[in-house]
Amino acid sequence: MSELKVYNSLTREKEVFTPITPGHVGLYVCGPTVSGESHLGHARPYVTFDIVFRWLMHLGYKVRYVRNITDAGHFEEEGRAAEDKISKKAVLEKLEPMELVQKYTNLYHWGMKQLNNLDPSIEPTATGHIIEQIGMIEKIIADGYAYVVNGSVYFDVEKYNKDYSKKGEPYGILSGRVLDDMIATTRELDNQEEKRNTNDFALWKNAPPEHIMRWHSPWGEGFPGWHIECSAMSTKYLGGQFDIHGGGMDLLFPHHECEIAQSNVCNGHIPARYWIHNNMITINGRKMGKSYNNVITLTQLFSGDNPVLQQAYHPMVIRFFILQTHYRSTLDFSNEALQASEKGLKRLWEAYDNLKKLSPSGGNAATNGEIDERCIKLLGEMDDFMNDDFSTAKVLANMFELVPVINGLKDKHIAADAISASTIQLLQEKMKLYIEDILGLNVQVGSDNNKLDGLIHVLINMRKDARAKKDYATSDRIRNELLTLGIQLKDEKDGNMSYTMN
């Protein structure tokens, strides 16, 4: 088997992977900000790094996979007052902030299970590590790379850049951006008057009186900056330097760039040796995001309850759709692409079922025919493809070349003596390993939940029709009977309905 090579965003090269500690891997992936429901754009990084996690374990590494939950802060500084997404959403939904956090954390975990992602080794929360964040900020201030203004703390990017450029580690080392160019092209933004320079970023923000989530600190009551949260959690669980830091390409700048700067000051190292970034999912060529009003949530994907969707899609179809394209390539969403993935997954799974029914003893023990050799070659290449920067798309391409052989053997269009018993056994073992264990494809995952969700949405639509006809008796009966089953309907402000299950 070839050596594992990964594309390192830091060096912009594909490199042989060598862990800091032989036999062990520290992997940190930026988790969700739980101020809203997870969507298709969130599915890609977590499926991508689930594959990385699975493959590293398959290679025999003991992996500590840390994926955080951002449940505080993550405020925006571009063109608006510092805004805590979770506090803002809590007010809109009339929930306590941690009630909102729990609601969307539960939905996120549910979505990850539907997609058959393995649980991380550790899932720390930002609110659970305020002490560690304050400690790092105090160290950065003591070393002269941060300053306090009106109870807020800002990282001094220009000072850092001046000092660390001498070490070959300037601000911009990951993204390739040059600070002087950033300064020259930065527009004037609101609420930036506290900063010495426009590129400085907040480590801690003073909480105004109306701000809900707040903690005591040496600088007054406030809440942490987004970037410091990940630095504190990765340092605590993986050390000052670890092997792999992962996330979506949209996090490369400024989030990961800022992580590098503040962690470098605190720990004396760029935090990770290898930086892996997945590319975006687009819809008709545009990035998926709330600002574009083109977000499709996971519950909508699995139920079909979105105007963009022509049908509901099984979670494994979504996973298969993501794995068909290399993680560093853009993946464009369309109903046609998902329907093609649905057909492709069905064809692959049917062939896999046929393969499981074949008897290895039915093959010829001594054959060295062309088909036999071709099967062995295609199966052998799959390991090399995974070791070549996790090329799941090439693995799947080889599987589809094997599908006609498997079906031909089952239908007896290919003679049993055309392939050896050992090769049939190898086919069965390798296809099971890859389909179920490495790629994590399991068509049974989510099936019952999808049927239940679809049934509930049928009843919701019947209730909507009843209310539109002023048939309140039928409307109330549907609601009350669902309630007796532990399913509570909620009328939303926009006229739609949602439900929760007890």
Side-chain angles (χ1 to χ4, degrees):
M1 188 187 293
S2 57
E3 293 181 295
L4 173 61
K5 293 182 179 180
V6 301
Y7 182 84
N8 189 351
S9 301
L10 185 65
T11 61
R12 298 164 189 81
E13 291 181 355
K14 201 180 287 185
E15 301 176 357
V16 173
F17 175 72
T18 306
I20 296 168
T21 304
H24 295 257
V25 175
L27 167 64
Y28 186 89
V29 174
C30 292
T33 299
V34 284
S35 59
E37 189 177 343
S38 297
H39 53 72
L40 178 58
H42 293 139
R44 192 174 195 191
Y46 304 127
V47 169
T48 295
F49 290 101
D50 183 61
I51 294 294
V52 171
F53 184 31
R54 287 170 183 265
W55 185 247
L56 289 170
M57 288 194 295
H58 171 71
L59 293 179
Y61 290 111
K62 184 176 181 181
V63 185
R64 176 175 284 183
Y65 176 16
V66 182
R67 187 184 68 206
N68 75 294
I69 296 285
T70 298
D71 58 350
H74 196 166
F75 49 82
E76 308 289 350
E77 295 184 288
E78 294 293 313
R80 69 190 79 176
E83 180 181 277
D84 186 320
K85 290 184 176 182
I86 289 166
S87 284
K88 181 182 178 184
K89 193 72 178 289
V91 171
L92 289 173
E93 294 201 20
K94 295 184 171 58
L95 297 173
E96 285 292 327
M98 295 315 292
E99 188 179 3
L100 177 111
V101 161
Q102 192 63 52
K103 171 185 173 181
Y104 288 119
T105 300
N106 289 346
L107 268 173
Y108 166 70
H109 285 151
W110 173 83
M112 295 303 99
K113 290 293 184 190
Q114 298 302 297
L115 292 166
N116 203 27
N117 288 338
L118 300 176
D119 292 332
S121 314
I122 302 173
E123 192 176 58
T125 63
T127 56
H129 295 78
I130 299 295
I131 292 171
E132 289 83 357
Q133 293 168 62
I134 289 172
M136 289 191 84
I137 295 169
E138 288 178 320
K139 173 79 164 59
I140 296 168
I141 293 172
D143 287 356
Y145 293 97
Y147 55 92
V148 183
V149 182
N150 300 326
S152 295
V153 184
Y154 295 97
F155 188 91
D156 192 332
V157 171
E158 286 198 36
K159 177 171 172 48
Y160 172 87
N161 190 59
K162 179 181 177 183
D163 294 347
Y164 280 78
S165 289
K166 298 170 187 174
K167 298 171 60 178
E169 298 171 357
Y171 185 80
I173 188 172
L174 181 65
S175 62
R177 302 188 185 205
V178 178
L179 184 60
D180 288 345
D181 294 342
M182 284 191 268
I183 293 169
T185 57
T186 299
R187 57 190 172 87
E188 284 298 317
L189 301 172
D190 297 333
N191 303 292
Q192 302 292 300
E193 64 278 354
E194 290 184 340
K195 298 182 182 182
R196 290 178 185 170
N197 300 291
T198 54
N199 288 287
D200 294 350
F201 57 89
L203 299 170
W204 187 266
K205 283 297 293 183
N206 176 49
E210 69 277 7
H211 203 280
I212 304 171
M213 298 182 83
R214 56 207 299 137
W215 290 266
H216 291 292
S217 80
W219 319 287
E221 287 200 347
F223 55 100
W226 174 29
H227 314 307
I228 197 67
E229 295 173 350
C230 283
S231 286
M233 289 183 278
S234 64
T235 298
K236 178 164 184 175
Y237 297 108
L238 297 173
Q241 189 175 47
F242 51 93
D243 297 298
I244 300 172
H245 195 313
M249 195 171 285
D250 57 326
L251 300 180
L252 195 146
F253 185 88
H255 184 48
H256 290 164
E257 197 75 73
C258 294
E259 275 190 68
I260 285 176
Q262 61 202 12
S263 294
N264 213 351
V265 171
C266 286
N267 302 321
H269 298 285
I270 291 176
R273 293 174 66 180
Y274 302 89
W275 294 74
I276 299 177
H277 293 91
N278 65 275
N279 214 320
M280 300 293 100
I281 289 183
T282 57
I283 297 182
N284 298 322
R286 298 189 76 182
K287 176 187 169 184
M288 179 179 292
K290 291 177 183 175
S291 57
Y292 299 118
N293 196 31
N294 64 356
V295 168
I296 305 172
T297 67
L298 294 183
T299 55
Q300 290 170 341
L301 270 172
F302 304 155
S303 68
D305 189 17
N306 185 296
V308 173
L309 300 172
Q310 294 176 0
Q311 64 179 70
Y313 295 99
H314 191 284
M316 288 302 99
V317 171
I318 306 301
R319 187 177 180 95
F320 183 75
F321 170 66
I322 291 168
L323 297 180
Q324 281 183 297
T325 300
H326 191 274
Y327 76 88
R328 286 193 289 113
S329 298
T330 303
L331 180 58
D332 196 50
F333 165 89
S334 69
N335 279 284
E336 292 76 18
L338 278 180
Q339 286 161 17
S341 292
E342 187 174 56
K343 290 176 183 175
L345 179 59
K346 184 173 183 287
R347 183 165 171 252
L348 178 63
W349 200 264
E350 286 174 350
Y352 179 45
D353 276 342
N354 290 336
L355 177 61
K356 287 186 282 188
K357 295 169 187 172
L358 292 177
S359 171
S361 60
N364 185 325
T367 187
N368 287 302
E370 182 182 339
I371 295 176
D372 199 77
E373 291 177 359
R374 183 160 160 262
C375 288
I376 292 170
K377 177 178 179 291
L378 289 167
L379 290 169
E381 287 175 342
M382 285 155 61
D383 293 343
D384 293 332
F385 292 152
M386 285 301 294
N387 274 332
D388 184 16
D389 200 27
F390 314 103
S391 297
T392 56
K394 290 184 178 180
V395 168
L396 286 169
N398 272 28
M399 284 186 179
F400 278 106
E401 284 198 51
L402 290 164
V403 165
V405 176
I406 294 166
N407 292 340
L409 286 167
K410 195 260 182 187
D411 297 335
K412 302 191 180 342
H413 294 152
I414 296 176
D417 61 0
I419 188 166
S420 69
S422 61
T423 300
I424 290 176
Q425 186 173 352
L426 180 64
L427 260 171
Q428 290 172 331
E429 291 172 355
K430 200 93 171 188
M431 292 291 275
K432 181 182 188 303
L433 170 70
Y434 268 88
I435 290 175
E436 296 188 32
D437 300 336
I438 305 301
L439 300 184
L441 294 168
N442 185 343
V443 293
Q444 301 307 315
V445 173
S447 295
D448 292 340
N449 283 339
N450 284 341
K451 291 174 185 176
L452 177 60
D453 189 71
L455 181 59
I456 293 171
H457 276 88
V458 168
L459 291 169
I460 285 175
N461 289 332
M462 289 173 64
R463 184 168 180 256
K464 280 183 183 178
D465 291 341
R467 293 182 71 183
K469 297 172 183 175
K470 301 189 185 305
D471 182 2
Y472 298 115
T474 300
S475 170
D476 290 345
R477 189 170 71 252
I478 291 172
R479 183 196 61 208
N480 294 337
E481 290 186 9
L482 284 173
L483 192 58
T484 62
L485 297 172
I487 301 166
Q488 183 172 4
L489 296 183
K490 181 181 178 183
D491 296 315
E492 305 288 358
K493 291 180 180 178
D494 58 5
N496 289 320
M497 296 180 201
S498 61
Y499 72 89
T500 57
M501 296 178 63
N502 298 324

